[in-house]
Amino acid sequence: LGWSMMGSTIVFAVVFRTSLAWNRYWEAISQLQFMYGKWLDAFTQCSAFVNATYLQLLEKGGDESSKKIQSIQAKFDRIQRNFSLLSALGAHRLTHGDVQRMEKMCEQPGWHNKVILRRELRVGEDVTEATRLPTFKTIEKDRLHDLHCLEVENVWHGSYIVAGVPSEKEIQILGETTDRVNCVMYWIIVDLAYLSKDLCTPPPIQSRIY
């Protein structure tokens, strides 16, 4: 009877923990899809509003319209770059979380590095270099359709393909901030605010971007 009860308890514990882990995994996947879906919706709507403004300005014609198109294009290029940077930094943060950092800690010599509290990962020296800013690189526009054929570097310190490399000042800011994703999101919101006055789309419709 004792062995039977113990066996039933172990089976219940294993099934319960497996079910809990499975549910948490799919919840994380759902939230990840929701996050990237929202970013995609925002960029798609911004792109559509910009293209609609282009068409109106082209129909109008004139030097003033040409200058306005160039101004809008410059602002939209920066928004596009920041959205790609946002995606890259989001992916980097997800692949350098606490679990991955603990795995890297286990590679360090000495038991004092392998037995550590979770809160200690966020303070003091970053032995795993998980918070080090990744490198960014661009790709020619005529090769964008080959992105799915490019080899992905599955390494701890890899590089990300973005629409434009950040400036030295932006690299410095990203290196100093503790929340890079929200920092780039702030840049996007500022750029959208500068762009909004040039769009032909009514402000209530523009608010969908946010």
Side-chain angles (χ1 to χ4, degrees):
L1 181 62
W3 285 104
S4 177
M5 292 182 61
M6 185 176 68
S8 300
T9 303
I10 293 175
V11 169
F12 173 79
V14 170
V15 171
F16 177 76
R17 288 182 62 85
T18 302
S19 176
L20 182 63
W22 185 254
N23 290 335
R24 291 180 65 183
Y25 169 79
W26 281 110
E27 181 183 1
I29 293 296
S30 300
Q31 293 297 325
L32 180 62
Q33 184 179 12
F34 178 79
M35 178 183 72
Y36 274 97
K38 286 295 184 181
W39 291 351
L40 177 62
D41 289 344
F43 179 76
T44 302
Q45 292 181 57
C46 179
S47 179
F49 298 159
V50 168
N51 287 333
T53 304
Y54 283 165
L55 293 176
Q56 284 197 6
L57 292 174
L58 288 174
E59 291 177 359
K60 184 178 179 181
D63 294 339
E64 185 178 349
S65 296
S66 298
K67 292 180 180 179
K68 194 170 184 180
I69 288 176
Q70 293 178 359
S71 175
I72 294 174
Q73 184 63 51
K75 295 175 183 177
F76 181 69
D77 287 345
R78 177 176 169 81
I79 291 174
Q80 184 179 25
R81 187 213 65 175
N82 283 339
F83 264 106
S84 67
L85 190 62
L86 180 69
S87 177
L89 290 174
H92 181 265
R93 179 63 183 89
L94 290 169
T95 55
H96 291 70
D98 292 342
V99 175
Q100 291 79 11
R101 294 177 71 177
M102 287 300 299
E103 291 176 352
K104 294 294 291 185
M105 290 291 290
C106 292
E107 299 175 4
Q108 301 293 327
W111 280 101
H112 67 284
N113 289 326
K114 299 178 182 179
V115 181
I116 187 173
L117 296 176
R118 184 178 182 182
R119 64 172 178 268
E120 295 178 6
L121 290 173
R122 304 172 184 268
V123 296
E125 182 183 3
D126 181 17
V127 180
T128 63
E129 295 186 336
T131 57
R132 192 176 80 177
L133 187 66
T135 57
F136 305 103
K137 58 184 180 181
T138 58
I139 186 174
E140 296 80 4
K141 290 185 178 180
D142 57 350
R143 293 188 59 201
L144 289 177
H145 62 281
D146 295 330
L147 278 176
H148 65 282
C149 300
L150 296 178
E151 294 185 4
V152 179
E153 298 177 335
N154 188 18
V155 294
W156 188 247
H157 298 301
S159 59
Y160 295 88
I161 297 175
V162 293
V165 178
S167 65
E168 293 183 3
K169 180 63 176 178
E170 291 170 335
I171 290 291
Q172 180 183 356
I173 294 174
L174 291 174
E176 295 174 353
T177 184
T178 57
D179 194 342
R180 293 165 182 160
V181 173
N182 275 330
C183 179
V184 176
M185 191 174 294
Y186 171 78
W187 293 348
I188 292 174
I189 293 174
V190 172
D191 293 334
L192 290 173
Y194 275 114
L195 179 65
S196 61
K197 61 183 177 61
D198 296 325
L199 298 178
C200 65
T201 309
I205 305 300
Q206 290 187 34
S207 63
R208 297 178 181 179
I209 302 177
Y210 300 92

